[in-house]
Amino acid sequence: MRNWFSRLIIAMAVATAGVVVLLSFMRPVAGQTQGPAYQAPRFAGTQHPDLNGIWQTLTTANWDIEDHSGQPGPFPALVGAWGSQPPGQSIVEGGELPYKPEALEQKKANYAKRLSVDPFNLHDSGDPEAKCYAPGVPRGMYMPYPFQILQMPSKVLMVFGYSNASRFIQLDNHQEAPLDTWMGWSNGKWEGDTLVVDVTGFNGHSWLDRAGNFTSDALHVVERYTPTGPNTIMYEATIEDPKVFTRPWKMSFPLYRRLEKNVQLLEFRCVPFTEEFLYGTLAKPGTFTKKRS
Amino acid sequence: MRHKFLATIGLLAIVSLAACGRQAPSGAANSTGAATTDTSLRTSWGDPNIQGVWENLERAPLERPKEFGTKEFMTEQEAAARAKRTPLTTSGTPTVDLPAGEAEDVIGNLASADNARNKAADSLPEDAPGRRIVGAEYNSFWNAPLKASKQSLRTSQIVDPPDGRLPPYTREVLAMWDEREKERLGRSQGDSWEDRGLGERCIAQPVGNGVFLGGFNNIMQTPGYVVIYWFTPGDGVFRVVPLDGRPHVGPKIRGWYGDSRGRWEGDTLVVETTNFNSGHAGESLPAHGTLFGTGHAHNYAGTGETLKMVERFKRVDANTMEYRLTIEDPKVFVTPWTAVTVRNRDETKTPEYEYACHEHNVGMVNAIAGSRANRKTSLAEAERELKARQPGIKQKWEQLKAWEASHQKTSTQ
């Protein structure tokens, strides 16, 4: 009886010591951006992590990917604090974007005219988000709305509620971008537990945020998706765009899994919210915005 | 007798299942063994595998021409005779006989009318005012003869009601359309975006996953979800369908494509969709397109909010899927109705390109600017289309009144 009891005590002590040793290994080392390798669950029938889920960033990068203070929205006299800009820290490695001088001027002009659209030059006037355009890459990844990853053995589909945007990441069918698009052409591969995605074929009309930061049709993005826990993915992207920036630069932020019970992607079709904004100056006065039925 | 002619086409299993009007066991017996359910097709996590690109090449008309009565299938001779009469075009599924003496095939009429107008537009002198559009070139896509497809011998896609025709619209819908036509008086084709249909506005395509419009489905699966991507000549639409048996979202959440829930019944995927918004009827006043079921429709004519849509995706063999759609919408149709189409797997298609409809909708700018620049012509064209719709709407009123009369008679007996 006593023998049994002391054996139990010893076993518990050994187990506790083991856990303590294990925990000391798992504690992140100061200054290290990622913890030691987390072993994500595998996708059915494959050796690769399962990234399925509804994910969302918590950054304020969609307002400005660089450091930014709290600011009033564009129409404070009309809507008070609604639409104001929340403060946030840069998601850009090193803090600031390495613009070419002429591109920096373009960024400033973009910001000044972010809410002006010319119906005969729709693609290159105003913030694409205000026009309900597909957000592009990387902006789509840090819009303040959820998106869903739907993983398959040969490809990964990302569906964004906002503006019905989507991305296919081809794991097998690697090819050169066959045409220029808003969300680009994505070739992906697994490097260990990291999904590495090479994105090209951009049409050059996308912005990076509401602050007028932008990219051109020479944009080349390399993304890395690394699961760092059951409910987090570290997103890292290297941005190369020799028409706009003096050198490649990096951004990173975590994506968080949406955990609410029965959470699902909801339709956020913003096109009808933009028609007066886009075409209002062309239309015959008094022939629109009459809600029917 | 029926089996004799069916055996000569490659869709035997589907057709004979449908002809029985009920679900038969997998691999329903047929003498040739041409098409059987391949039950070995499973995903790596054990679900039935219905993934792939499925093209809707079904060109049976949605509604059954009256000459066939309650006959669901035609003979090959009848099919050959019909094929000779009217070449089918890209622009959609022929729907129904036009009333008021117009010939039966709506698409054929439209194609020739379009071609005549486009030819006239192209013959304008170079210095004519306005923006020049090479109409015949642009529209020739829609009027191009359809590529040869696997053709079923169905006389109509609608299999219920048994006459193969849409049930009557309700009084509510027809009154709304009358009201809409009154509101259209004095409006041009493009005074504002509200004169264009929802599809042209890149807001939504008619509900029904291609039964009304064709196009194809790219079906993808991951554990717990089926993704149904519908790629139409007008837009690309993703529906992410959970399979975990969760309830629908609350009634205050509404969308253009509703809220879908899926489940497996054997190897058949059953998707039930509710929570549609009212916009399919209420938020457009299109100059172009008719009331659905009377010709060249561009909109689903319904309130949508009471719509329940049930779809059944059944893989019949490696390359064939039967798609069965039931529309139940008491505010719109007096009874539910069901349509069946056949979809063919097509691995040569690469639908995984981006469909950015709204982002490239320069057509909207041109429609409004063009209408404003030449409002007289635009008003005249809008009026022509409005007049062309009148017989169809009148016919729908008559259909409803006849139904009401017979319904009353039945219920008082």
Side-chain angles (χ1 to χ4, degrees), chain B residues 254 274-279 302-308 329 331:
Chain B
R254 300 274 167 182
T274 57
N275 295 68
F276 288 93
N277 68 21
S278 65
T303 65
E305 280 189 341
T306 50
L307 171 61
K308 185 171 111 178
D329 194 344
K331 272 193 178 175

Side-chain angles (χ1 to χ4, degrees), chain A residues 177-190:
Chain A
L179 70 174
D180 287 349
T181 55
W182 296 85
M183 301 300 285
W185 182 268
S186 297
N187 291 326
K189 64 179 180 200
W190 292 100

Side-chain angles (χ1 to χ4, degrees), chain B residues 235-251:
Chain B
D235 211 341
V237 177
F238 284 95
R239 283 191 291 156
V240 179
V241 183
L243 302 171
D244 59 3
R246 66 176 76 185
H248 277 291
V249 293

Side-chain angles (χ1 to χ4, degrees), chain B residues 56-60 93 150-152 154 157 340-342:
Chain B
N56 182 8
L57 290 174
E58 177 71 67
R59 292 295 151 158
T93 307
K150 272 189 177 179
Q151 194 75 48
S152 84
R154 284 200 168 282
Q157 292 178 35
V340 176
T341 66
V342 171

Side-chain angles (χ1 to χ4, degrees), chain A residues 137 167-170 173-188 197-202 221, chain B residues 350-354:
Chain A
V137 175
R167 292 176 67 184
F168 281 104
I169 295 166
Q170 303 292 346
N173 178 25
H174 284 188
Q175 54 177 289
E176 257 185 62
L179 70 174
D180 287 349
T181 55
W182 296 85
M183 301 300 285
W185 182 268
S186 297
N187 291 326
V197 186
D198 190 282
V199 202
T200 54
F202 292 99
V221 183
Chain B
T350 47
E352 288 163 7
Y353 296 138
E354 175 177 291

